[in-house]
Amino acid sequence: MCQAAMLSKPAASSGGARLAMLCGGVVAAGVAHALLQEQMLYAMPAKMPLVVTAYEFGVCSSLSGAYLLLAGGGGARAPLWPLARISALVFASLVSGNVALRWVSFPVKVIVKSCKLLPTMALGSLLLHKSYTVWDHAAALLLCCGLVGFTLASHGSAAREPSGGEEEQQTSWVGLALLMLAVCCDAVQVLLQERMMRSHPLLTPMHVMLFTNGIAFAAVVAAIAFTGEVDAVPVGLPWGRLLLYGASSWIGVCCFLALTRSHGGTAAVVATNSRKLVSICLSFVVFPKPVSGMMLLSGASVVSGVAIHATRKATMPTPMPKRRAE
């Protein structure tokens, strides 16, 4: 018994170290991805959302393929039609989010992407006839209030700037609509991916990342050729930053998946929300922007809504497996 107690301490410490490492990986990779995206948005002379998106898809697909080759993860038969549908949603989500940065600031993008609960509840009620508790509706209300308040505060700060005007204040709603489209695509994508993973148990998340990012990469390259965005590419692209941008996205997803498997969805949700909060704070510090009291109150409303939703998921009872009749 004494020996078992001595052995449990290293096991607990190693588990705590793994938890800290994975949470740190999710936060660090996500923050690096966010800061690199905003830095390239300001540094590049022309905004090229498709080129940046294509590079992210290409790096994620290449790293996933390399991982499967090195780890010997082949052998799973890829369901092409479900993967094509998920790829279309991934393509629409990432492109919409990047294009929206033409009209909205980066903190607004992070705030809107944090409100995934809203389309999830709407789709669950309309398509799956799900019922939600009072806490779910309270979280949704806080998210709605924070989203509207943060958007109106951004409008006000843009209108007070010398370069801002009525046109910028109106077109920013286009960016908000694109972000809501991206969030809806994310919500549907999660549902389809869960269904596909259940029906194809040999398919690993690395297979999903390989095929979805690969198919989306081909779609983005076709869109670049169709829109002529390649003509706006400057002579010297920041290749190193683009590589780090795609690699940080892949590392963040890998840490998130490992954290979900080893410590459950609650730890992954806490790490993801922490990453978003740190990204917003550093965005205001590294790239100074006007800050108002309404922005702070709206941000607090969004954080409260996300916290209520995460707490409710953490306290939900785990369903017990049914026993077979003997």
Side-chain angles (χ1 to χ4, degrees), residues 5 41 57 70 78 83 123 138 155 164 187 197 201 204 224 266 294 299 302 304:
L41 180 68
F57 280 144
L70 295 175
L83 285 170
L123 292 172
H155 283 178
M197 296 293 284
T204 66
I224 292 174
T266 302
M294 189 173 183
V302 172
S304 301

Side-chain angles (χ1 to χ4, degrees), residues 119-174:
T120 301
M121 288 181 62
L123 292 172
S125 300
L126 294 175
L127 301 180
L128 304 178
H129 305 289
K130 286 186 175 181
S131 58
Y132 296 93
T133 64
V134 176
W135 291 109
D136 290 324
H137 290 287
L141 180 61
L142 287 171
L143 290 174
C144 287
C145 293
L147 180 59
V148 173
F150 206 96
T151 305
L152 293 177
S154 301
H155 283 178
S157 61
R160 288 191 296 269
E161 293 179 357
S163 60
E166 187 66 23
E167 181 180 357
E168 182 179 356
Q169 187 170 348
Q170 290 177 355
T171 53
S172 62
W173 289 101
V174 178

Side-chain angles (χ1 to χ4, degrees), residues 226-282:
F226 179 76
T227 59
E229 187 176 306
V230 67
D231 298 330
V233 176
V235 178
L237 274 177
W239 298 110
R241 278 172 287 178
L242 285 170
L243 178 61
L244 289 175
Y245 175 71
S248 61
S249 176
W250 185 81
I251 292 172
V253 173
C254 291
C255 291
F256 177 83
L257 293 174
L259 183 62
T260 304
R261 285 180 172 179
S262 60
H263 294 86
T266 302
V269 169
V270 171
T272 303
N273 294 330
S274 301
R275 182 259 301 173
K276 293 176 181 178
L277 183 60
V278 174
S279 298
I280 293 177
C281 294
L282 287 180

Side-chain angles (χ1 to χ4, degrees), residues 43-310:
M44 288 184 179
K47 295 181 179 180
M48 298 171 294
L50 294 180
V51 172
V52 175
T53 306
Y55 211 90
E56 182 174 1
F57 280 144
V59 171
C60 289
S61 180
S62 300
L63 290 177
S64 300
Y67 179 89
L68 289 173
L69 286 176
L70 295 175
R77 185 175 181 181
L80 294 181
W81 176 239
L83 285 170
R85 288 187 296 178
I86 295 174
S87 300
L89 292 170
V90 172
F91 169 80
S93 173
L94 204 54
V95 171
S96 300
N98 289 340
V99 172
L101 290 174
R102 292 181 175 178
W103 294 285
V104 300
S105 64
F106 189 81
V108 173
K109 176 186 176 181
V110 179
I111 288 290
V112 176
K113 296 281 278 185
S114 301
C115 300
K116 193 183 297 185
L117 174 64
L118 300 178
T120 301
M121 288 181 62
L123 292 172
S125 300
L126 294 175
L127 301 180
L128 304 178
H129 305 289
K130 286 186 175 181
S131 58
Y132 296 93
T133 64
V134 176
W135 291 109
D136 290 324
H137 290 287
L141 180 61
L142 287 171
L143 290 174
C144 287
C145 293
L147 180 59
V148 173
F150 206 96
T151 305
L152 293 177
S154 301
H155 283 178
S157 61
R160 288 191 296 269
E161 293 179 357
S163 60
E166 187 66 23
E167 181 180 357
E168 182 179 356
Q169 187 170 348
Q170 290 177 355
T171 53
S172 62
W173 289 101
V174 178
L176 183 61
L178 287 171
L179 289 176
M180 291 305 298
L181 173 63
V183 173
C184 292
C185 290
D186 288 340
V188 178
Q189 171 201 335
V190 171
L191 296 176
L192 292 180
Q193 187 168 332
E194 288 180 356
R195 183 185 302 176
M196 182 184 66
M197 296 293 284
R198 289 196 190 100
S199 57
H200 298 82
L202 295 179
L203 202 65
T204 66
M206 281 296 166
H207 289 94
V208 178
M209 290 178 64
L210 169 65
F211 289 105
T212 54
N213 285 283
I215 297 173
F217 173 76
V220 175
V221 171
I224 292 174
F226 179 76
T227 59
E229 187 176 306
V230 67
D231 298 330
V233 176
V235 178
L237 274 177
W239 298 110
R241 278 172 287 178
L242 285 170
L243 178 61
L244 289 175
Y245 175 71
S248 61
S249 176
W250 185 81
I251 292 172
V253 173
C254 291
C255 291
F256 177 83
L257 293 174
L259 183 62
T260 304
R261 285 180 172 179
S262 60
H263 294 86
T266 302
V269 169
V270 171
T272 303
N273 294 330
S274 301
R275 182 259 301 173
K276 293 176 181 178
L277 183 60
V278 174
S279 298
I280 293 177
C281 294
L282 287 180
S283 176
F284 280 97
V285 173
V286 179
F287 309 101
K289 306 172 185 66
V291 183
S292 63
M294 189 173 183
M295 281 187 176
L296 296 177
L297 290 175
S298 302
S301 178
V302 172
V303 171
S304 301
V306 172
I308 289 175
H309 178 59

